[in-house]
Amino acid sequence: MSLGLPDPEAASGDTNGEISAALEVASVSHSYGKRKALDNVSFRVRPASFCVLLGLNGAGKTTLFSLVTRLYAAQRGTLRIFGFDVNHAPGEALRRLGVVFQARTLDLDLTLQQNLSYHAALHGMPARETQRRAEEVLGQIGLLGRANDKARTLSGGQIRRVEIARALLHRPRMLLLDEPTVGLDVKARADILKHVRSLVAGTNIGVLWATHLIDEIEPPDDAILLHEGKILDRGKASEIAARAGVQDIGAAFKKLTGIEGEGTSWDQS
């Protein structure tokens, strides 16, 4: 049940000169009052890989992302980004991280350039570097010509692409995306997914892509199945299906969660 990496409980950091994990989550638990949102969650995301965190709405995906980004402090367990502990070395950890949250976060009354410049200032980037990087990332998503347009003039898919570009502005080595295609049409969803997969291939960035949509997972993908705050299985999507004795990851998720019936949020239809 591994992603082809050392055991999640093992120490993080350099091993023979190589970083063992882009993201390591070890024995993490978190509760809201009496409700346990995460229960002893452990996994690793390999550097330069695309990993899918699959779970229904309310499974704990957003809570996990909030802990990784230090919006909340983990009540139990350890989180490391390229070997740096999120709680003990937050500056070193978080500067290696780019984040796209589920909720839209662009300021709609600012231009694309202004949105990117504000983000760059938060990371202490100098003005000349900000301008160069903004042109580069906007060019990569085909929106360089709209740098001076207000964000509210963009479509939903374009806004999401700008949010991804903004997350990459400071050249992180790990990218978190929380339900990045929610509310988008089929073509926009496919375009966003294709773009992020191309980032992994072209820039060697590590990606953790959280979703409840089965059709965003391909058989060779690393996958983590999260349900009611617990990990049900992890590994290649095809291997998870094989272990469950079914043909695909959707059927495996249905079998492992015990969910029956039509119209569930994970159903591809």
Side-chain angles (χ1 to χ4, degrees):
M1 288 189 183
S2 71
L3 297 180
L5 296 163
D7 185 86
E9 301 297 335
S12 181
D14 289 350
T15 302
N16 296 324
E18 297 182 0
I19 296 296
S20 59
L23 173 65
E24 178 188 22
V25 178
S27 303
V28 169
S29 296
H30 194 82
S31 299
Y32 301 105
K34 295 182 178 180
R35 183 176 73 84
K36 182 164 284 190
L38 295 172
D39 186 2
N40 197 34
V41 169
S42 296
F43 65 85
R44 287 182 174 185
V45 177
R46 295 182 294 118
S49 71
F50 183 89
C51 181
V52 180
L53 179 64
L54 176 66
L56 302 177
N57 295 328
K61 302 188 301 295
T62 298
T63 294
L64 179 62
F65 276 34
S66 296
L67 299 179
V68 174
T69 57
R70 293 197 82 222
L71 291 178
Y72 306 145
Q75 296 165 344
R76 179 173 176 263
T78 304
L79 301 114
R80 295 186 179 93
I81 300 169
F82 285 95
F84 292 98
D85 191 295
V86 169
N87 290 320
H88 297 135
E92 289 294 334
L94 296 181
R95 75 182 181 86
R96 290 167 169 77
L97 184 69
V99 186
V100 179
F101 290 105
Q102 182 174 345
R104 302 296 190 262
T105 56
L106 289 187
D107 188 322
L108 298 181
D109 291 319
L110 297 182
T111 66
L112 308 192
Q113 179 66 49
Q114 288 170 333
N115 271 283
L116 295 180
S117 295
Y118 179 70
H119 177 84
L122 293 177
H123 282 272
M125 293 174 58
R128 182 174 295 181
E129 175 70 5
T130 296
Q131 180 66 32
R132 187 183 68 79
R133 284 290 293 150
E135 292 177 357
E136 182 179 325
V137 296
L138 288 176
Q140 289 171 348
I141 61 173
L143 291 175
L144 180 56
R146 302 193 63 177
N148 294 317
D149 291 354
K150 289 188 175 182
R152 67 171 60 258
T153 66
L154 302 181
S155 68
Q158 289 172 329
I159 286 176
R160 193 50 110 189
R161 282 156 58 194
V162 174
E163 289 177 330
I164 294 172
R166 180 183 61 182
L168 296 170
L169 197 64
H170 62 289
R171 297 189 185 277
R173 297 175 62 194
M174 175 77 197
L175 184 62
L176 303 183
L177 302 103
D178 187 8
E179 298 277 4
T181 62
V182 165
L184 302 182
D185 60 35
V186 173
K187 183 180 185 305
R189 281 180 55 210
D191 287 345
I192 294 295
L193 187 56
K194 181 179 179 181
H195 176 58
V196 174
R197 288 184 181 278
S198 72
L199 289 173
V200 177
T203 67
N204 292 325
I205 195 169
V207 168
L208 182 60
W209 174 285
T211 186
H212 66 278
L213 300 169
I214 297 294
D215 61 355
E216 293 183 348
I217 306 175
E218 297 180 358
D221 287 341
D222 292 340
I224 302 158
L225 273 54
L226 185 68
H227 185 61
E228 296 180 347
K230 296 181 179 181
I231 292 182
L232 303 181
D233 201 353
R234 58 178 180 254
K236 297 293 183 184
S238 58
E239 295 170 354
I240 292 173
R243 282 194 292 270
V246 294
Q247 291 187 339
D248 56 49
I249 190 68
F253 188 72
K254 180 176 179 179
K255 181 175 181 179
L256 292 170
T257 58
I259 294 171
E260 299 292 343
E262 300 295 326
T264 51
S265 62
W266 58 270
D267 198 299
Q268 293 186 53
S269 62

